[in-house]
Amino acid sequence: MGSNTVDKALTMLRSLPRVCLKNIRDNPGSKITQKRGRGQHGGDKHGAGNKGSGQRQNYMRLGYETGNRPFYLRFGFEPYYKGHHLRRQYPPVSLLQLQTMVDTNRVDVSKPIDLVTLCNTGLYRIFPDQHQFGINLTDEGADIFQAKVNIEVQWASELVIAAVERAGGVITTAYYDMHSLQCMINPQKFFERGIPIPRRMVPPTDAADYYADAAKRGYLADPEKVSEERLVLAQKYGYNLPVIENDPDYPMLTERKDPRQIFFGLNPGWVVNLKDKVILKPLEEELLQYYNS
């Protein structure tokens, strides 16, 4: 290499800027820029895939595996889940939550408590269209529960019954059909419709034994057998059973609904007029016989 060439190279290096990150460039043609083309496969699909329902935002249903045998058909049938979508559900309320409602004056213990009372607190909701049939009173907080209440629920365990009765209260398990539950979750909306209060239907065959069992405090059980079961449960859990006959709140503790009744103090067939603040009662013998049957 001649001296002239070396001098020219050194002169060029002296005039060029120092090499750094901001002046480094790729070799021409080494990087191809993706452009949005107009052809069938000329550009990016923007995360939507290639044709089909995915690109058109017509999403596949849950469980569909694009033509393959789906998961729930690849494995054997489990009898445990047979009819699971038809089973009655009971959203839970614990004894601790109930005690908190009493302590914060959201629930008045001087009156009987039922599903209407708890829904009016705004802290409990059920959805009958999702096969929810009422309250499941759970045993969380059973050791600190002290409220003397007359409560009606749809499902309760033995420990829950013992906790309520140990505090001097009374508990009843009662069944409500779908139509009755729709009336109870929002009574004001129901009364504004101006239609008669319907009859409560009897429990279905698979639930009749539960609500006729004195040990479960069913509303269809014999009251004498319920008194005997109260004593048996007190002896089993080792507490002194309060004598509700000597309690000053005895009328409140013994208040019950008729098996056809939905609301306390309101009979089937009555029409509640909220605007005029009057109650319309049927007078025809045929209607009276229908609603009392």
Side-chain angles (χ1 to χ4, degrees), residues 23-49:
N23 55 26
I24 294 178
R25 298 289 184 271
D26 294 327
N27 293 328
S30 63
K31 185 177 180 180
I32 301 176
T33 303
Q34 291 286 346
K35 296 181 180 179
R36 185 182 179 189
R38 296 177 62 92
Q40 184 176 5
H41 299 288
D44 183 49
K45 301 298 187 297
H46 306 286

PDB file of all heavy atoms in Angstrom, residues 23-49:
ATOM      1  N   ASN A  23     -24.376   6.419  15.738  1.00  0.00           N
ATOM      2  CA  ASN A  23     -24.031   6.485  14.323  1.00  0.00           C
ATOM      3  C   ASN A  23     -23.707   5.120  13.736  1.00  0.00           C
ATOM      4  O   ASN A  23     -23.111   5.030  12.671  1.00  0.00           O
ATOM      5  CB  ASN A  23     -22.862   7.458  14.082  1.00  0.00           C
ATOM      6  CG  ASN A  23     -21.650   7.113  14.921  1.00  0.00           C
ATOM      7  OD1 ASN A  23     -21.463   5.960  15.305  1.00  0.00           O
ATOM      8  ND2 ASN A  23     -20.829   8.122  15.201  1.00  0.00           N
ATOM      9  N   ILE A  24     -24.074   4.016  14.468  1.00  0.00           N
ATOM     10  CA  ILE A  24     -23.891   2.675  13.911  1.00  0.00           C
ATOM     11  C   ILE A  24     -25.114   2.334  13.081  1.00  0.00           C
ATOM     12  O   ILE A  24     -26.258   2.528  13.507  1.00  0.00           O
ATOM     13  CB  ILE A  24     -23.691   1.640  15.034  1.00  0.00           C
ATOM     14  CG1 ILE A  24     -22.366   1.900  15.779  1.00  0.00           C
ATOM     15  CG2 ILE A  24     -23.695   0.228  14.473  1.00  0.00           C
ATOM     16  CD1 ILE A  24     -22.120   0.964  16.927  1.00  0.00           C
ATOM     17  N   ARG A  25     -24.959   1.808  11.911  1.00  0.00           N
ATOM     18  CA  ARG A  25     -26.063   1.446  11.020  1.00  0.00           C
ATOM     19  C   ARG A  25     -25.859   0.017  10.528  1.00  0.00           C
ATOM     20  O   ARG A  25     -24.737  -0.466  10.418  1.00  0.00           O
ATOM     21  CB  ARG A  25     -26.113   2.393   9.804  1.00  0.00           C
ATOM     22  CG  ARG A  25     -26.362   3.850  10.155  1.00  0.00           C
ATOM     23  CD  ARG A  25     -27.797   4.065  10.628  1.00  0.00           C
ATOM     24  NE  ARG A  25     -28.074   5.462  10.882  1.00  0.00           N
ATOM     25  CZ  ARG A  25     -27.877   6.077  12.053  1.00  0.00           C
ATOM     26  NH1 ARG A  25     -27.369   5.389  13.072  1.00  0.00           N
ATOM     27  NH2 ARG A  25     -28.155   7.345  12.194  1.00  0.00           N
ATOM     28  N   ASP A  26     -26.993  -0.647  10.235  1.00  0.00           N
ATOM     29  CA  ASP A  26     -26.910  -1.967   9.632  1.00  0.00           C
ATOM     30  C   ASP A  26     -26.446  -1.845   8.188  1.00  0.00           C
ATOM     31  O   ASP A  26     -26.576  -0.798   7.542  1.00  0.00           O
ATOM     32  CB  ASP A  26     -28.279  -2.642   9.661  1.00  0.00           C
ATOM     33  CG  ASP A  26     -28.734  -2.939  11.082  1.00  0.00           C
ATOM     34  OD1 ASP A  26     -27.870  -3.220  11.924  1.00  0.00           O
ATOM     35  OD2 ASP A  26     -29.961  -2.890  11.338  1.00  0.00           O
ATOM     36  N   ASN A  27     -25.927  -2.956   7.685  1.00  0.00           N
ATOM     37  CA  ASN A  27     -25.530  -2.991   6.289  1.00  0.00           C
ATOM     38  C   ASN A  27     -26.768  -2.870   5.405  1.00  0.00           C
ATOM     39  O   ASN A  27     -27.840  -3.390   5.748  1.00  0.00           O
ATOM     40  CB  ASN A  27     -24.787  -4.293   5.971  1.00  0.00           C
ATOM     41  CG  ASN A  27     -23.451  -4.359   6.698  1.00  0.00           C
ATOM     42  OD1 ASN A  27     -22.820  -3.329   6.930  1.00  0.00           O
ATOM     43  ND2 ASN A  27     -23.032  -5.569   7.049  1.00  0.00           N
ATOM     44  N   PRO A  28     -26.657  -2.218   4.314  1.00  0.00           N
ATOM     45  CA  PRO A  28     -27.814  -2.064   3.419  1.00  0.00           C
ATOM     46  C   PRO A  28     -28.357  -3.418   2.974  1.00  0.00           C
ATOM     47  O   PRO A  28     -27.591  -4.299   2.567  1.00  0.00           O
ATOM     48  CB  PRO A  28     -27.250  -1.264   2.242  1.00  0.00           C
ATOM     49  CG  PRO A  28     -26.062  -0.558   2.799  1.00  0.00           C
ATOM     50  CD  PRO A  28     -25.488  -1.466   3.831  1.00  0.00           C
ATOM     51  N   GLY A  29     -29.664  -3.610   3.080  1.00  0.00           N
ATOM     52  CA  GLY A  29     -30.304  -4.845   2.658  1.00  0.00           C
ATOM     53  C   GLY A  29     -30.332  -5.947   3.701  1.00  0.00           C
ATOM     54  O   GLY A  29     -30.905  -7.015   3.455  1.00  0.00           O
ATOM     55  N   SER A  30     -29.672  -5.737   4.869  1.00  0.00           N
ATOM     56  CA  SER A  30     -29.664  -6.784   5.890  1.00  0.00           C
ATOM     57  C   SER A  30     -30.962  -6.826   6.710  1.00  0.00           C
ATOM     58  O   SER A  30     -31.256  -7.828   7.345  1.00  0.00           O
ATOM     59  CB  SER A  30     -28.472  -6.576   6.839  1.00  0.00           C
ATOM     60  OG  SER A  30     -28.608  -5.348   7.530  1.00  0.00           O
ATOM     61  N   LYS A  31     -31.738  -5.777   6.701  1.00  0.00           N
ATOM     62  CA  LYS A  31     -32.989  -5.720   7.463  1.00  0.00           C
ATOM     63  C   LYS A  31     -34.132  -5.394   6.532  1.00  0.00           C
ATOM     64  O   LYS A  31     -34.088  -4.399   5.816  1.00  0.00           O
ATOM     65  CB  LYS A  31     -32.865  -4.655   8.558  1.00  0.00           C
ATOM     66  CG  LYS A  31     -34.070  -4.606   9.474  1.00  0.00           C
ATOM     67  CD  LYS A  31     -33.862  -3.569  10.584  1.00  0.00           C
ATOM     68  CE  LYS A  31     -35.080  -3.530  11.495  1.00  0.00           C
ATOM     69  NZ  LYS A  31     -34.920  -2.526  12.590  1.00  0.00           N
ATOM     70  N   ILE A  32     -35.162  -6.278   6.559  1.00  0.00           N
ATOM     71  CA  ILE A  32     -36.325  -6.093   5.691  1.00  0.00           C
ATOM     72  C   ILE A  32     -37.478  -5.541   6.529  1.00  0.00           C
ATOM     73  O   ILE A  32     -37.882  -6.152   7.524  1.00  0.00           O
ATOM     74  CB  ILE A  32     -36.725  -7.411   5.019  1.00  0.00           C
ATOM     75  CG1 ILE A  32     -35.554  -7.954   4.196  1.00  0.00           C
ATOM     76  CG2 ILE A  32     -37.973  -7.216   4.157  1.00  0.00           C
ATOM     77  CD1 ILE A  32     -35.840  -9.311   3.574  1.00  0.00           C
ATOM     78  N   THR A  33     -37.981  -4.424   6.160  1.00  0.00           N
ATOM     79  CA  THR A  33     -39.088  -3.793   6.880  1.00  0.00           C
ATOM     80  C   THR A  33     -40.410  -4.415   6.448  1.00  0.00           C
ATOM     81  O   THR A  33     -40.693  -4.506   5.250  1.00  0.00           O
ATOM     82  CB  THR A  33     -39.114  -2.277   6.616  1.00  0.00           C
ATOM     83  OG1 THR A  33     -37.844  -1.720   6.991  1.00  0.00           O
ATOM     84  CG2 THR A  33     -40.238  -1.623   7.427  1.00  0.00           C
ATOM     85  N   GLN A  34     -41.212  -4.874   7.453  1.00  0.00           N
ATOM     86  CA  GLN A  34     -42.510  -5.437   7.138  1.00  0.00           C
ATOM     87  C   GLN A  34     -43.475  -4.311   6.775  1.00  0.00           C
ATOM     88  O   GLN A  34     -43.672  -3.371   7.540  1.00  0.00           O
ATOM     89  CB  GLN A  34     -43.059  -6.215   8.344  1.00  0.00           C
ATOM     90  CG  GLN A  34     -42.312  -7.494   8.668  1.00  0.00           C
ATOM     91  CD  GLN A  34     -42.617  -8.586   7.664  1.00  0.00           C
ATOM     92  OE1 GLN A  34     -43.563  -8.487   6.892  1.00  0.00           O
ATOM     93  NE2 GLN A  34     -41.801  -9.631   7.661  1.00  0.00           N
ATOM     94  N   LYS A  35     -44.080  -4.453   5.637  1.00  0.00           N
ATOM     95  CA  LYS A  35     -45.039  -3.468   5.181  1.00  0.00           C
ATOM     96  C   LYS A  35     -46.414  -4.108   5.066  1.00  0.00           C
ATOM     97  O   LYS A  35     -46.524  -5.303   4.800  1.00  0.00           O
ATOM     98  CB  LYS A  35     -44.619  -2.901   3.825  1.00  0.00           C
ATOM     99  CG  LYS A  35     -43.313  -2.137   3.862  1.00  0.00           C
ATOM    100  CD  LYS A  35     -42.979  -1.580   2.502  1.00  0.00           C
ATOM    101  CE  LYS A  35     -41.666  -0.812   2.538  1.00  0.00           C
ATOM    102  NZ  LYS A  35     -41.333  -0.277   1.202  1.00  0.00           N
ATOM    103  N   ARG A  36     -47.429  -3.333   5.307  1.00  0.00           N
ATOM    104  CA  ARG A  36     -48.791  -3.822   5.172  1.00  0.00           C
ATOM    105  C   ARG A  36     -49.148  -3.890   3.696  1.00  0.00           C
ATOM    106  O   ARG A  36     -49.406  -2.896   3.054  1.00  0.00           O
ATOM    107  CB  ARG A  36     -49.756  -2.906   5.907  1.00  0.00           C
ATOM    108  CG  ARG A  36     -51.177  -3.440   5.893  1.00  0.00           C
ATOM    109  CD  ARG A  36     -52.129  -2.504   6.572  1.00  0.00           C
ATOM    110  NE  ARG A  36     -53.485  -3.034   6.531  1.00  0.00           N
ATOM    111  CZ  ARG A  36     -54.555  -2.367   6.895  1.00  0.00           C
ATOM    112  NH1 ARG A  36     -54.441  -1.132   7.318  1.00  0.00           N
ATOM    113  NH2 ARG A  36     -55.740  -2.922   6.830  1.00  0.00           N
ATOM    114  N   GLY A  37     -49.168  -5.110   3.180  1.00  0.00           N
ATOM    115  CA  GLY A  37     -49.452  -5.265   1.774  1.00  0.00           C
ATOM    116  C   GLY A  37     -50.933  -5.316   1.482  1.00  0.00           C
ATOM    117  O   GLY A  37     -51.772  -5.428   2.379  1.00  0.00           O
ATOM    118  N   ARG A  38     -51.287  -5.263   0.235  1.00  0.00           N
ATOM    119  CA  ARG A  38     -52.679  -5.283  -0.191  1.00  0.00           C
ATOM    120  C   ARG A  38     -53.100  -6.655  -0.695  1.00  0.00           C
ATOM    121  O   ARG A  38     -54.266  -6.890  -0.950  1.00  0.00           O
ATOM    122  CB  ARG A  38     -52.895  -4.256  -1.306  1.00  0.00           C
ATOM    123  CG  ARG A  38     -52.657  -2.834  -0.850  1.00  0.00           C
ATOM    124  CD  ARG A  38     -52.827  -1.891  -2.004  1.00  0.00           C
ATOM    125  NE  ARG A  38     -54.182  -1.929  -2.556  1.00  0.00           N
ATOM    126  CZ  ARG A  38     -55.154  -1.115  -2.162  1.00  0.00           C
ATOM    127  NH1 ARG A  38     -54.919  -0.226  -1.208  1.00  0.00           N
ATOM    128  NH2 ARG A  38     -56.346  -1.199  -2.702  1.00  0.00           N
ATOM    129  N   GLY A  39     -52.137  -7.572  -0.832  1.00  0.00           N
ATOM    130  CA  GLY A  39     -52.466  -8.889  -1.348  1.00  0.00           C
ATOM    131  C   GLY A  39     -52.980  -9.819  -0.248  1.00  0.00           C
ATOM    132  O   GLY A  39     -53.223  -9.429   0.901  1.00  0.00           O
ATOM    133  N   GLN A  40     -53.135 -11.106  -0.593  1.00  0.00           N
ATOM    134  CA  GLN A  40     -53.703 -12.067   0.347  1.00  0.00           C
ATOM    135  C   GLN A  40     -52.773 -12.313   1.526  1.00  0.00           C
ATOM    136  O   GLN A  40     -53.213 -12.398   2.656  1.00  0.00           O
ATOM    137  CB  GLN A  40     -53.973 -13.384  -0.377  1.00  0.00           C
ATOM    138  CG  GLN A  40     -54.661 -14.416   0.513  1.00  0.00           C
ATOM    139  CD  GLN A  40     -55.005 -15.684  -0.232  1.00  0.00           C
ATOM    140  OE1 GLN A  40     -54.649 -15.820  -1.392  1.00  0.00           O
ATOM    141  NE2 GLN A  40     -55.701 -16.601   0.425  1.00  0.00           N
ATOM    142  N   HIS A  41     -51.479 -12.445   1.263  1.00  0.00           N
ATOM    143  CA  HIS A  41     -50.510 -12.682   2.314  1.00  0.00           C
ATOM    144  C   HIS A  41     -49.408 -11.644   2.264  1.00  0.00           C
ATOM    145  O   HIS A  41     -48.275 -11.927   2.623  1.00  0.00           O
ATOM    146  CB  HIS A  41     -49.901 -14.086   2.183  1.00  0.00           C
ATOM    147  CG  HIS A  41     -50.909 -15.185   2.303  1.00  0.00           C
ATOM    148  ND1 HIS A  41     -51.515 -15.522   3.478  1.00  0.00           N
ATOM    149  CD2 HIS A  41     -51.442 -16.017   1.368  1.00  0.00           C
ATOM    150  CE1 HIS A  41     -52.366 -16.513   3.274  1.00  0.00           C
ATOM    151  NE2 HIS A  41     -52.338 -16.833   2.003  1.00  0.00           N
ATOM    152  N   GLY A  42     -49.709 -10.448   1.867  1.00  0.00           N
ATOM    153  CA  GLY A  42     -48.659  -9.455   1.679  1.00  0.00           C
ATOM    154  C   GLY A  42     -48.286  -8.706   2.925  1.00  0.00           C
ATOM    155  O   GLY A  42     -47.287  -7.998   2.927  1.00  0.00           O
ATOM    156  N   GLY A  43     -49.065  -8.792   4.011  1.00  0.00           N
ATOM    157  CA  GLY A  43     -48.746  -8.001   5.195  1.00  0.00           C
ATOM    158  C   GLY A  43     -49.101  -8.731   6.475  1.00  0.00           C
ATOM    159  O   GLY A  43     -49.515  -9.881   6.475  1.00  0.00           O
ATOM    160  N   ASP A  44     -48.925  -8.055   7.565  1.00  0.00           N
ATOM    161  CA  ASP A  44     -49.187  -8.638   8.876  1.00  0.00           C
ATOM    162  C   ASP A  44     -50.690  -8.756   9.107  1.00  0.00           C
ATOM    163  O   ASP A  44     -51.487  -7.945   8.632  1.00  0.00           O
ATOM    164  CB  ASP A  44     -48.539  -7.762   9.952  1.00  0.00           C
ATOM    165  CG  ASP A  44     -48.712  -8.361  11.320  1.00  0.00           C
ATOM    166  OD1 ASP A  44     -48.422  -9.548  11.466  1.00  0.00           O
ATOM    167  OD2 ASP A  44     -49.141  -7.631  12.227  1.00  0.00           O
ATOM    168  N   LYS A  45     -51.096  -9.766   9.923  1.00  0.00           N
ATOM    169  CA  LYS A  45     -52.519  -9.986  10.188  1.00  0.00           C
ATOM    170  C   LYS A  45     -52.975  -9.257  11.442  1.00  0.00           C
ATOM    171  O   LYS A  45     -54.106  -9.442  11.891  1.00  0.00           O
ATOM    172  CB  LYS A  45     -52.784 -11.494  10.343  1.00  0.00           C
ATOM    173  CG  LYS A  45     -52.403 -12.309   9.126  1.00  0.00           C
ATOM    174  CD  LYS A  45     -53.208 -11.888   7.912  1.00  0.00           C
ATOM    175  CE  LYS A  45     -52.952 -12.814   6.743  1.00  0.00           C
ATOM    176  NZ  LYS A  45     -51.572 -12.791   6.284  1.00  0.00           N
ATOM    177  N   HIS A  46     -52.081  -8.517  12.070  1.00  0.00           N
ATOM    178  CA  HIS A  46     -52.429  -7.705  13.249  1.00  0.00           C
ATOM    179  C   HIS A  46     -52.971  -8.568  14.383  1.00  0.00           C
ATOM    180  O   HIS A  46     -53.910  -8.169  15.080  1.00  0.00           O
ATOM    181  CB  HIS A  46     -53.433  -6.608  12.876  1.00  0.00           C
ATOM    182  CG  HIS A  46     -52.988  -5.751  11.732  1.00  0.00           C
ATOM    183  ND1 HIS A  46     -52.000  -4.798  11.871  1.00  0.00           N
ATOM    184  CD2 HIS A  46     -53.347  -5.718  10.423  1.00  0.00           C
ATOM    185  CE1 HIS A  46     -51.792  -4.202  10.705  1.00  0.00           C
ATOM    186  NE2 HIS A  46     -52.594  -4.743   9.817  1.00  0.00           N
ATOM    187  N   GLY A  47     -52.422  -9.740  14.582  1.00  0.00           N
ATOM    188  CA  GLY A  47     -52.802 -10.573  15.702  1.00  0.00           C
ATOM    189  C   GLY A  47     -54.125 -11.280  15.563  1.00  0.00           C
ATOM    190  O   GLY A  47     -54.616 -11.881  16.511  1.00  0.00           O
ATOM    191  N   ALA A  48     -54.737 -11.227  14.354  1.00  0.00           N
ATOM    192  CA  ALA A  48     -56.059 -11.816  14.168  1.00  0.00           C
ATOM    193  C   ALA A  48     -55.998 -13.161  13.467  1.00  0.00           C
ATOM    194  O   ALA A  48     -57.041 -13.757  13.232  1.00  0.00           O
ATOM    195  CB  ALA A  48     -56.952 -10.866  13.371  1.00  0.00           C
ATOM    196  N   GLY A  49     -54.837 -13.632  13.108  1.00  0.00           N
ATOM    197  CA  GLY A  49     -54.753 -14.914  12.433  1.00  0.00           C
ATOM    198  C   GLY A  49     -55.023 -14.806  10.953  1.00  0.00           C
ATOM    199  O   GLY A  49     -55.138 -13.714  10.391  1.00  0.00           O
TER     200      GLY A  49
END
